[in-house]
Amino acid sequence: MAKKARPEHHEEHADESWLLPYSDLMTLLLALFIVLYAMSSANVSKFEAMAEAFDSVFNGGKSIMDHTSATDESKTQDGSKSEETQSVEQMVQQAKDSKKDTADETLAKLKKKEQEDLTKLKKQLDSYIASNGLSNQLETNLNQSQLQITISDKALFASGEATVKPTSRTLGASIANILKNFPGYNIQVIGHTDNVPIFNNNFKSNWDLSSGRANNFLQVLLQNKNLDPQRFTAIAAGEYQPIASNATASGRAQNRRVEVSIIRNYQDSTNTISTSNATSP
């Protein structure tokens, strides 16, 4: 009787099918870390380039952000700025220039509007002066700093007095009525005298006389409630700002005056504008 053949014994092996997804997972993780590292390095480089660009444009040199590890990477081997740094710097400079251009354009428009307003105001004052036959007593002058109304003392005061004459209050009221249509300007009322000493019961010096005249005419203007008192100032100049020689009677007459100065808000010292409607008396 033949013997049954025994089946050959085969060594059992562990299931290794898990290695394939494991290797795929490891590959994906490696790729992920490489991408994250690359992104991190790019951001640092861009940050450093931008920091250097801002520092260069706005400060013109090194700042607290200047340290070897940061700035060296944003430069080429020959020490020049990298293309990335130059690109960011150009963008920053363009933004800065654009902002400056916008500010300059706005300022130019404001100056133009102010010039138009003051020119219109001057024309209204000149028209009033001409229609009332006051050319020998009042004049206007528009220059780079102000619109100035010069009023002879005889148009407002008796000799050696600071009280505005009753007949002259109409003049002050008319000027105030014109000024009310042009708000937003600071206005100075300045009293001037000649150099002849004064000493009486009311005034001890030309300082006192010029102060009284400026203050009293200011009060006449402010009778118009449409004017803002906060924008008005009374100033005493005494005899120390003459516009003519005190050696002659006509010169002293020119020096005795009250000036109403409407001060520009936007002054340009490089552009002088000067016009007047009449010569001094």
Side-chain angles (χ1 to χ4, degrees):
M1 181 175 180
K3 293 182 180 180
K4 293 183 180 179
R6 289 185 179 183
E8 295 183 2
H9 177 72
H10 296 282
E11 184 179 353
E12 295 184 359
H13 296 280
D15 186 4
E16 297 178 351
S17 60
W18 61 271
L19 287 175
L20 183 60
Y22 178 79
S23 62
D24 290 341
L25 178 60
M26 292 297 100
T27 303
L28 289 174
L29 286 175
L30 177 61
L32 174 62
F33 285 125
I34 291 174
V35 170
L36 290 176
Y37 177 78
M39 291 176 62
S40 175
S41 298
N43 287 338
V44 170
S45 176
K46 290 180 180 180
F47 173 77
E48 291 172 349
M50 185 172 291
E52 181 182 350
F54 270 97
D55 182 52
S56 177
V57 172
F58 290 106
N59 299 325
K62 297 181 179 179
S63 69
I64 59 173
M65 303 186 71
D66 180 31
H67 52 86
T68 304
S69 61
T71 57
D72 285 352
E73 293 181 3
S74 63
K75 294 184 179 181
T76 59
Q77 292 182 352
D78 61 359
S80 62
K81 296 179 181 178
S82 66
E83 292 183 1
E84 188 177 50
T85 299
Q86 292 176 0
S87 177
V88 174
E89 185 173 310
Q90 288 174 358
M91 288 189 293
V92 173
Q93 185 63 52
Q94 288 173 358
K96 183 180 179 183
D97 292 343
S98 177
K99 183 177 180 180
K100 182 178 183 299
D101 291 342
T102 301
D104 290 344
E105 182 179 351
T106 300
L107 180 59
K109 289 180 179 179
L110 290 172
K111 286 183 177 181
K112 181 180 179 181
K113 180 62 167 58
E114 180 175 80
Q115 180 63 25
E116 292 172 351
D117 287 346
L118 292 179
T119 300
K120 183 178 180 181
L121 172 56
K122 183 181 187 303
K123 288 181 178 179
Q124 292 185 16
L125 290 167
D126 290 346
S127 177
Y128 171 79
I129 292 171
S131 62
N132 288 275
L134 298 172
S135 297
N136 290 328
Q137 300 180 30
L138 282 79
E139 70 171 340
T140 62
N141 183 61
L142 178 59
N143 57 39
Q144 74 274 13
S145 61
Q146 62 192 341
L147 170 58
Q148 187 176 79
I149 310 167
T150 301
I151 310 172
S152 172
D153 73 323
K154 64 182 180 182
L156 299 175
F157 313 103
S159 179
E161 297 293 332
T163 303
V164 179
K165 295 185 293 187
T167 55
S168 299
R169 289 182 172 271
T170 302
L171 170 61
S174 298
I175 292 176
N177 196 48
I178 296 174
L179 292 177
K180 74 177 185 180
N181 298 318
F182 299 87
Y185 293 97
N186 293 324
I187 298 176
Q188 298 176 347
V189 180
I190 310 171
H192 300 268
T193 69
D194 57 28
N195 67 345
V196 177
I198 185 172
F199 185 84
N200 57 33
N201 293 332
N202 295 322
F203 308 105
K204 296 181 179 180
S205 67
N206 283 325
W207 282 115
D208 290 342
L209 177 60
S210 65
S211 175
R213 286 182 167 182
N215 186 64
N216 289 341
F217 188 64
L218 172 63
Q219 297 303 320
V220 172
L221 294 176
L222 292 180
Q223 290 298 311
N224 190 318
K225 300 305 180 182
N226 293 308
L227 298 178
D228 183 2
Q230 293 185 351
R231 290 192 170 274
F232 283 75
T233 306
I235 300 174
E239 64 193 73
Y240 298 103
Q241 295 181 21
I243 56 175
S245 172
N246 280 306
T248 64
S250 61
R252 290 192 295 272
Q254 293 181 58
N255 292 333
R256 297 191 299 269
R257 68 198 189 277
V258 169
E259 294 173 346
V260 180
S261 296
I262 299 93
I263 308 300
R264 288 181 184 268
N265 294 316
Y266 308 99
Q267 299 186 20
D268 187 356
S269 59
T270 62
N271 183 22
T272 301
I273 307 165
S274 182
T275 56
S276 61
N277 76 298
T279 57
S280 301

